[in-house]
Amino acid sequence: MKPPPPPLVDAHLDLAHNALEAGFDLTLPLEELRRRYPQGDVPTVTLPALVEAGAALVFATLFASPYHPEHNPEGYTTPDEAHAQALRQLELYRRWHEEGRVRLITTRAELDGHLKAWEGDGVPGLLILMEGADPIRTPDELGFWADAGVRLVGPAWGGTRYAGGSWFGTGGLTELGRELMAALQDEPRVALDASHLSEPSFWEALELYDGPLLASHSNPRRFVDHERHLSEAMISALGERGGVIGTVFYNAFLVAGWQRGDARPGLEAALRHMAHVAELIGWEHVGIGSDFDGGFGARELPEPLDQPADLRRLEEALPAGVFPGVLGGHWLAWLRRWLP
Ligand SMILES: [Zn+2]
């Protein structure tokens, strides 16, 4: 029997959002889903594709999408609507768990048991990440979501009721946001995801909260100067606090000014982001948060990435010895330090 491949951990996929809002049947093989979907290359992830990739663990989001008159007329406009969207997504993850398609992970013991089982059956584990905290109707509801299995919370996406974010309003934490930080501080089962926090929110959050910290899907601002990305000081702070940063493989986040239709860059475009973070805070803080299914298609990923299995091509490109850690080992070590 050949040894299992090193586990892939992807710290950011919007699986339930894609299934429920985009209507993708993620239980299909990827080729089949692409045949059914007229735009062809947009689905880049399905559950069978994750099995094929050797994805041991995915941070799977509850992503309630806010109303926007052009981009999202169906989005939420109230905390109750955001709450309901996130619950529907959670229900889907639970159904997949019951059907044996995934294993939901909420504790260190479950993680260890899962990884042993994964070596035999390849079933991906899911750790639930709330991206944008509006589904938490009030900060005292954090415990409800922790009971429900949420282990990671990112207060912002665009600006939310809690925090300035990457788009549509970029202030600092709101009064409610400061209360949420206090609630997170008192809730050891949930870590803070700094991705999408505006820079003022980021620094305020770190003042108020000293628990486990990550940036599930963020690249350095060094090569693409936009508030969505991390400044050198933010990267250093994440490193000092023991955080791991998931690299996003989206061309517009890798190459300044890149637009759909431009030639696809090669993997080196992603590697320079990883190497820059490593230079600042060390390779042990570098992981993957691919965001492959963040609404763009394979043509918007660097060559030769077309689906999750291709992330293993990083082995040819990374410095010797760091591949297993970057592929998943660093996230697993981080989780083992704090998961309940
Ligand atoms: Zn995101």
Side-chain angles (χ1 to χ4, degrees):
M1 212 177 109
K2 69 176 187 187
L8 165 64
V9 179
D10 190 333
H12 202 93
L13 289 175
D14 300 314
L15 299 172
H17 174 74
N18 275 271
L20 296 173
E21 265 70 47
F24 295 155
D25 180 353
L26 298 188
T27 66
L28 294 172
L30 183 59
E31 300 69 32
E32 176 61 24
L33 183 59
R34 282 182 176 166
R35 265 197 294 277
R36 293 189 193 184
Y37 189 75
Q39 275 167 271
D41 77 322
V42 168
T44 44
V45 179
T46 65
L47 299 179
L50 287 171
V51 173
E52 203 181 304
L57 187 65
V58 168
F59 299 179
T61 63
L62 304 180
F63 172 61
S65 54
Y67 170 84
H68 186 282
E70 290 150 58
H71 308 303
N72 195 19
E74 311 273 278
Y76 69 82
T77 57
T78 66
D80 282 336
E81 287 173 13
H83 183 91
Q85 268 194 40
L87 278 183
R88 279 196 297 276
Q89 295 181 8
L90 181 64
E91 279 310 307
L92 179 65
Y93 292 138
R94 286 181 173 158
R95 192 185 336 140
W96 286 346
H97 174 89
E98 276 154 27
E99 292 169 353
R101 301 179 193 278
V102 302
R103 271 191 290 271
L104 287 174
I105 308 298
T106 60
T107 65
R108 202 167 357 183
E110 284 172 2
L111 177 65
D112 289 337
H114 161 68
L115 289 172
K116 276 205 194 76
W118 169 81
E119 288 182 8
D121 65 19
V123 171
L126 300 187
L127 193 82
I128 305 298
L129 158 64
M130 185 182 285
E131 178 176 30
D134 277 339
I136 304 172
R137 289 175 294 190
T138 55
D140 60 9
E141 205 177 66
L142 180 65
F144 162 85
W145 288 103
D147 289 347
V150 171
R151 289 293 171 264
L152 315 165
V153 168
W157 177 66
T160 62
R161 291 178 299 122
Y162 293 104
S166 304
W167 302 284
F168 323 127
T170 54
L173 294 181
T174 62
E175 185 52 43
L176 213 54
R178 286 186 279 276
E179 288 172 29
L180 181 63
M181 288 309 137
L184 277 165
Q185 185 65 42
D186 291 340
E187 178 47 85
R189 294 174 294 174
V190 179
L192 174 65
D193 183 359
S195 284
H196 284 288
L197 284 177
S198 68
E199 189 155 4
S201 301
F202 177 91
W203 293 117
E204 277 185 72
L206 266 62
E207 285 275 307
L208 297 170
Y209 169 87
D210 70 0
L213 188 65
L214 78 156
S216 66
H217 61 314
S218 288
N219 290 350
R221 237 176 249 179
R222 168 83 170 72
F223 305 103
V224 181
D225 189 12
H226 186 280
E227 64 199 352
R228 167 70 179 83
H229 310 298
L230 300 170
S231 68
E232 313 279 283
M234 291 160 89
I235 294 168
S236 297
L238 279 157
E240 275 162 29
R241 298 276 294 263
V244 176
I245 299 175
T247 305
V248 185
F249 291 85
Y250 171 41
N251 290 337
F253 285 8
L254 296 174
V255 178
W258 193 91
Q259 291 183 333
R260 191 169 171 93
D262 292 353
R264 294 168 67 187
L267 266 187
E268 69 283 353
L271 283 174
R272 63 181 181 157
H273 286 259
M274 295 174 144
H276 183 65
V277 173
E279 196 183 313
L280 291 171
I281 58 175
W283 278 106
E284 68 273 25
H285 299 280
V286 179
I288 290 171
S290 77
D291 213 8
F292 265 23
D293 60 357
F296 39 89
R299 278 189 296 271
E300 291 175 77
L301 304 173
E303 301 258 24
L305 303 183
D306 179 62
Q307 54 184 290
D310 300 325
L311 287 166
R312 291 185 179 272
R313 299 287 293 273
L314 287 168
E315 184 166 17
E316 304 148 28
L318 285 166
V322 305
F323 170 70
V326 169
L327 190 75
H330 299 153
W331 282 123
L332 295 176
W334 178 78
L335 287 169
R336 287 198 175 101
R337 285 203 292 274
W338 69 269
L339 261 191

